[in-house]
Amino acid sequence: MTWPGAWPSHILATSRQRLAELQLEVDSLPSDVSVATEQAMTRFLVVRACGHIEFTFDEAFCSYAESKSSPPIAAFVRSQFFRGSNPSAERIEVGLRKLDPARADRFVLLIDAEDQKVRRELGFLVDRRNKIAHGQSESVARRKALDLADIALSLGDWVMTELDPR
C-alpha cells in the first residue's frame, strides 16, 4: 500500500503550526503582563510542547505502518498508540527499535549529542508536563519554556522526516 496524501499530513502540520504560534505568543508577551498570566502561558506552552512530541510520534508511526502494511496490521498498530504515554526518550527509542533498529540508533545519536543535551531536556519537559498536569503547578520560566518548545519542534520535525510514509 502506498501513502495517498501529502506529508506531513494536515493534522501533523497543524499540530506543529499551533505549537509554533503559541511559542511566538509566549515570546512576545508584553513586559507588563501579570505574573499569573505569564506563568499560565508558560505552563500551557510546556504542556503543548510535550503533547506535540507525543502526538507527532504516535501519528507518524501509525501513518508509516499504514503505508507499509495491510489494513488489518495497520489497524492493530494504531490500536497500540494514542494512550497518553509520555514521549520519553526510552519510549520513542523502543518504538523505533521495533520498527527499524537503524532508525532507533539515529534517534539515540540525536538525543545523546552534546553530552545528552536533548535527552536531558526531553526528560525535563516530560517531568514538568506531568507535574503541571497533576496539579503540582510546577513553574517554568518563560525562557526555559521557549527553549523546550524549540526542542519539541525539532524532535517533531525529525520524527516526521524519519517516519515519512511516502
Side-chain angles (χ1 to χ4, degrees):
M1 179 173 215
T2 60
W3 185 251
W7 190 257
S9 64
H10 177 70
I11 195 167
L12 286 171
T14 299
S15 176
R16 187 188 197 293
Q17 177 185 348
R18 288 184 179 155
L19 176 57
E21 288 170 355
L22 178 60
Q23 182 186 34
L24 182 60
E25 188 73 26
V26 170
D27 194 29
S28 61
L29 286 172
S31 59
D32 62 345
V33 71
S34 73
V35 171
T37 298
E38 181 175 338
Q39 287 177 346
M41 292 292 290
T42 58
R43 283 193 302 265
F44 184 53
L45 180 58
V46 166
V47 170
R48 275 289 295 118
C50 194
H52 174 69
I53 297 169
E54 179 183 328
F55 176 74
T56 299
F57 179 72
D58 287 0
E59 183 61 31
F61 195 103
C62 291
S63 295
Y64 186 85
E66 287 168 6
S67 75
K68 305 295 183 193
S69 63
S70 67
I73 299 293
F76 173 76
V77 169
R78 191 165 280 279
S79 75
Q80 304 304 303
F81 286 84
F82 302 101
R83 296 181 178 185
S85 300
N86 285 320
S88 68
E90 294 74 22
R91 176 179 177 255
I92 294 170
E93 180 186 350
V94 166
L96 289 171
R97 196 155 304 282
K98 289 177 184 176
L99 182 66
D100 176 11
R103 278 191 176 94
D105 292 343
R106 288 192 295 273
F107 176 72
V108 170
L109 285 173
L110 172 73
I111 64 170
D112 285 349
E114 297 180 48
D115 197 28
Q116 299 186 328
K117 178 185 176 190
V118 175
R119 182 183 292 272
R120 284 192 319 274
E121 292 296 280
L122 179 56
F124 183 80
L125 175 62
V126 170
D127 176 71
R128 288 306 178 266
R129 191 270 297 260
N130 288 339
K131 287 182 177 178
I132 292 165
H134 296 130
Q136 296 174 345
S137 296
E138 182 62 40
S139 290
V140 178
R142 184 191 311 194
R143 180 75 260 149
K144 186 64 171 181
L146 293 167
D147 292 345
L148 292 171
D150 279 338
I151 287 174
L153 290 166
S154 293
L155 282 174
D157 291 348
W158 185 89
V159 166
M160 284 187 275
T161 299
E162 281 291 321
L163 296 177
D164 187 334
R166 295 174 291 176

